[in-house]
């Protein structure tokens, strides 16, 4: 039940709940991946069942697609949708300019494709995800398996000339085997500590052979909805330059809080 949630889960829930209100009948909506996005999918599922909300979803991962279908949400591919009205997703870090680090859940490639195919991208996050400078969270880079160690060496060599504090890249593991993305690729986590020039780094990384995409989302996010453990919600619109604050009451809802697995 909501009353039994930890403060951080309450923060994720209220951010997701506020973002769910942005979805209208007939919309084509990108659904992100991760723990906060899972709250969103459950909130939207309840709105479909209880309020008759009718929209079409394009998930950014197989596990989001599975949860959406379980919640009764209609799921289609991006090729079927062609263009989206809105994408709502989480973030591992965001700064004052709404630049993001994403990919902690391993879905950064699909997440970036879906977000850039949308009229608007809204990020939902707990307050702990806000940082002054990106980089404390390891930056994911999705790489093809062929020659991944060579790609790793090229990345680390390239980082020497970048404005970062750390230059180590490690292969993400899933138990004893490499973590494999939905596209069959590997992920190298770059331990940079601080990124001085996000735009430059994003461009340079994507020039390295073997790198498919990186987890820096620059000039993609339009709005961030920040949740707090006491139910407060803050909405920042980077285009309008507005900040709105609200507070949501917690209501115990079995449909939302039973068997939640992110």
């Amino acid at each position: 039940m909501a009353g039994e949630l930890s403060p951080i889960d309450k923060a994720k829930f209220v951010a997701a709940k506020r973002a769910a209100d942005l979805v209208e009948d007939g919309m084509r909506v990108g659904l992100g991946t991760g723990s906060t996005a899972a709250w969103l999918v459950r909130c939207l599922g309840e709105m479909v069942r209880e309020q008759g909300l009718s929209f079409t979803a394009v998930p950014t991962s197989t596990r989001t697609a599975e949860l959406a279908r379980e919640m009764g949400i209609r799921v289609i591919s991006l090729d079927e949708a062609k263009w989206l009205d809105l994408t709502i997703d989480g973030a591992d870090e965001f700064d004052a300019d709404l630049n993001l680090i994403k990919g902690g859940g391993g879905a950064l490639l699909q997440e970036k494709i879906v977000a850039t195919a949308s009229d608007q991208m809204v990020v939902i996050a707990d307050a702990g995800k806000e940082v002054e400078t990106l980089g404390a969270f390891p930056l994911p880079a999705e790489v093809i398996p062929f020659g991944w160690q060579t790609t790793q060496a090229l990345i680390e060599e390239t980082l020497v000339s970048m404005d970062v504090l750390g230059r180590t890249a490690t292969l993400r593991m899933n138990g004893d085997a490499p973590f494999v993305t939905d596209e069959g690729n590997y992920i190298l986590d770059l331990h940079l500590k601080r990124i001085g020039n996000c735009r430059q780094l994003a461009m340079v990384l994507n020039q390295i052979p073997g790198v498919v995409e990186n987890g820096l989302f620059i000039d993609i996010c339009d709005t961030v909805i920040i949740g707090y453990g006491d139910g407060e919600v803050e909405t920042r619109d980077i285009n309008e330059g507005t900040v709105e604050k609200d507070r949501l009451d917690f209501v115990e809802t079995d449909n939302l809080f039973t068997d939640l697995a992110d």
Side-chain angles (χ1 to χ4, degrees):
M1 296 300 181
E4 299 170 355
L5 295 176
S6 67
I8 192 168
D9 279 333
K10 288 180 181 178
K12 292 178 180 181
F13 167 68
V14 295
K17 186 68 173 174
R18 170 57 71 235
D21 292 337
L22 300 175
V23 178
E24 301 175 358
D25 283 335
M27 275 189 170
R28 292 161 295 180
V29 181
L31 299 179
T33 297
S35 59
T36 312
W39 285 114
L40 170 72
V41 174
R42 285 186 167 258
C43 290
L44 288 171
E46 184 180 54
M47 293 169 69
V48 168
R49 293 187 300 271
E50 304 295 332
Q51 303 173 23
L53 177 67
S54 177
F55 74 100
T56 304
V58 174
T60 56
S61 67
T62 54
R63 60 184 181 275
T64 296
E66 290 169 358
L67 180 59
R69 292 190 181 99
E70 180 185 333
M71 294 295 105
I73 297 171
R74 180 172 178 250
V75 171
I76 63 173
S77 69
L78 182 58
D79 287 332
E80 291 175 280
K82 293 184 172 58
W83 194 260
L84 305 177
D85 300 290
L86 172 68
T87 288
I88 306 174
D89 203 347
D92 299 302
E93 286 185 346
F94 68 91
D95 65 15
D97 295 321
L98 303 195
N99 296 316
L100 320 171
I101 286 183
K102 289 181 52 55
L108 66 99
L109 179 56
Q110 287 192 24
E111 288 173 337
K112 188 173 282 190
I113 292 172
V114 169
T116 54
S118 305
D119 287 337
Q120 183 183 20
M121 183 196 186
V122 174
V123 160
I124 49 178
D126 61 89
K129 299 301 195 310
E130 182 172 13
V131 296
E132 184 175 341
T133 305
L134 298 180
F137 190 91
L139 174 65
E142 186 160 340
V143 302
I144 65 170
F146 176 80
W148 72 265
Q149 290 174 307
T150 299
T151 304
Q152 178 184 21
L154 287 170
I155 289 173
E156 291 180 335
E157 180 180 339
T158 299
L159 290 175
V160 172
S161 61
M162 295 290 101
D163 185 7
V164 296
L165 291 182
R167 298 176 177 85
T168 303
T170 58
L171 180 67
R172 186 178 300 184
M173 303 296 290
N174 182 14
D176 296 329
F179 174 89
V180 179
T181 69
D182 281 352
E183 291 75 33
N185 297 318
Y186 292 168
I187 286 183
L188 293 173
D189 288 311
L190 314 186
H191 304 272
L192 308 177
K193 301 179 182 178
R194 183 190 63 82
I195 302 172
N197 189 328
C198 297
R199 192 180 307 276
Q200 178 191 46
L201 180 61
M203 293 177 61
V204 169
L205 285 175
N206 281 5
Q207 295 301 311
I208 298 174
V211 174
V212 180
E213 189 53 82
N214 69 83
L216 283 168
F217 283 50
I218 311 297
D219 297 333
I220 296 176
C221 177
D222 299 286
T223 302
V224 62
I225 299 178
I226 308 165
Y228 297 84
D230 61 357
E232 182 179 329
V233 182
E234 181 178 330
T235 302
R236 300 180 194 169
D237 188 315
I238 193 73
N239 299 313
E240 300 295 332
T242 57
V243 178
E244 298 179 0
K245 295 186 178 182
D246 193 8
R247 186 177 301 274
L248 297 183
D249 294 327
F250 293 105
V251 179
E252 294 185 349
T253 307
D254 288 338
N255 290 340
L256 285 178
F257 302 110
T258 302
D259 300 326
L260 181 66
D262 297 341

